[in-house]
Amino acid sequence: SQEPEAGAGVQKSPLAKLTPREKEILGLLADGVGGGHIARKLSLSPNTVRSHIQNIRAKLKVHSRLEAVTLAIRHGIRRSPPE
């Protein structure tokens, strides 16, 4: 028999499944930054950013970047104020 996890029954944010890097990328997407700019800003290859975005969509069970961003904003990833 398995022990229930601490806090079982408490609804966790779907963002809890994401790695810190995935959260960082999702935050940038929420700010309206495109994949190419994210790659340059974080010194990653565009393919790596694409892979992170695919992983984010899979973990959040959404079909598009827009759905991922909408879910992120609802769960506390805030858009940065314009510079």
Side-chain angles (χ1 to χ4, degrees):
S1 81
Q2 285 187 331
E3 295 282 320
E5 288 185 41
V10 175
Q11 188 110 11
K12 285 187 183 175
S13 167
L15 303 182
K17 300 175 190 166
L18 302 180
T19 66
R21 178 64 96 184
E22 290 166 345
K23 288 178 186 173
E24 181 178 23
I25 289 172
L26 186 54
L28 289 168
L29 288 173
D31 288 342
V33 181
H37 285 100
I38 292 172
R40 286 190 291 282
K41 184 176 177 91
L42 301 180
S43 300
L44 299 172
S45 79
N47 285 338
T48 299
V49 172
R50 244 188 314 276
S51 293
H52 280 304
I53 293 169
Q54 287 174 341
N55 291 339
I56 290 165
R57 288 176 38 210
K59 287 180 181 181
L60 298 181
K61 298 181 172 127
V62 297
H63 300 286
S64 70
R65 289 180 184 196
L66 179 60
E67 284 181 283
V69 166
T70 301
L71 190 113
I73 292 169
R74 283 187 188 148
H75 288 275
I77 287 187
R78 303 238 191 296
R79 291 187 56 156
S80 298
E83 293 179 8

